Amino acid sequence: DELVAAYVDRLNAGERIDPGGILGDHPAIGTEVLRRLEAFLDLASAIDDSPSLNAIGDYRLLRRIGRGGMGVVYEATDLALKRRGALKQVRGQGTGHEGVLNEARMVAQLKHQNLVHIFSIIQENGLYLVFELVEGETLDGILNRRGPLGVEEIRRVLAGVGAAVDYAHYRR
C-alpha cells in the first residue's frame, strides 16, 4: 500500500510514470502495483471533473475502453470538433515510437470499410493516437457471452479481415 501511495503522490505531482519501470523496479509485485494504480486512476477519473487532469490535447477523456500490449485506449471527445473518438495512449517513453508513428502515418492514408480511421497523432507527455470510435461488442465479449463462433460466422469475420489486409497490402 505504501508503494502504491508513493506512485500516486508522484502522479499527483505531475510526474509521468512508466509502467515498464514499475515492472523492472519491482519484478515480484510490479503487476499488482500496476493493477492497483490503474484502479485508483479509474476511480480518480470518475470522480475528478477537471479538464486539465482528464484531457490530452483537444480531447477530453471520458472512460477507459480497453487495454492491451501497446497501451490503454480511452473513449474521448474532440472538444474543437465535438466528435467522439478512441484515444490510444502508447506505452513507453519514446522507445520504439518512431515505428508506431510511421505505421500510423501509413494507416492514415488507407480508406477501407474494414479499417479504423486514424484522426490524429498527439505527442504531449507521451504518444497518443486518435482513431474513430467503433461502437459495438468486442469479439472477446461475444465469445465470453455466447461461446465459440460457428463456421459461417468465422468465415464472415475472416473475409472482412482478409479484405482489409489485402487492401492495405496492395496500397503500400
Side-chain angles (χ1 to χ4, degrees):
D1 289 346
E2 289 179 13
L3 185 58
V4 172
Y7 278 112
V8 168
D9 288 343
R10 289 170 60 185
L11 287 167
N12 286 334
E15 184 178 339
R16 300 231 1 120
I17 304 291
D18 177 11
I22 293 174
L23 293 171
D25 292 345
H26 311 283
I29 59 169
T31 302
E32 178 64 15
V33 170
L34 285 175
R35 187 191 65 72
R36 293 167 101 191
L37 271 176
E38 192 167 270
F40 172 83
L41 292 173
D42 283 350
L43 177 62
S45 68
I47 295 169
D48 184 7
D49 207 26
S50 166
S52 64
L53 296 177
N54 291 320
I56 301 296
D58 287 338
Y59 290 86
R60 172 109 166 98
L61 304 182
L62 302 174
R63 65 184 178 98
R64 191 184 78 192
I65 56 176
R67 180 180 66 184
M70 282 189 64
V72 181
V73 180
Y74 300 91
E75 180 180 348
T77 297
D78 183 326
L79 299 173
L81 297 175
K82 306 293 186 219
R83 70 175 174 187
R84 293 182 323 152
L87 190 141
K88 176 183 276 189
Q89 178 183 25
V90 179
R91 288 198 198 284
Q93 298 289 327
T95 312
H97 282 180
E98 195 55 42
V100 173
L101 288 169
N102 289 337
E103 187 173 330
R105 290 178 184 120
M106 183 196 70
V107 169
Q109 304 305 310
L110 302 174
K111 305 291 181 234
H112 188 275
Q113 67 183 9
N114 296 342
L115 294 175
V116 177
H117 300 163
I118 185 166
F119 292 153
S120 65
I121 296 170
I122 301 171
Q123 292 179 297
E124 177 183 301
N125 296 318
L127 177 63
Y128 300 86
L129 307 176
V130 185
F131 296 92
E132 74 176 298
L133 180 66
V134 178
E135 299 287 347
E137 190 174 9
T138 64
L139 179 58
D140 188 47
I142 292 170
L143 294 175
N144 285 333
R145 183 174 47 79
R146 289 185 19 207
L149 299 178
V151 173
E152 287 307 312
E153 289 175 301
I154 293 170
R155 280 191 186 132
R156 190 177 71 248
V157 169
L158 290 179
V161 171
V165 170
D166 185 61
Y167 171 82
H169 176 75
Y170 288 105
R171 294 296 242 176
R172 291 177 62 170

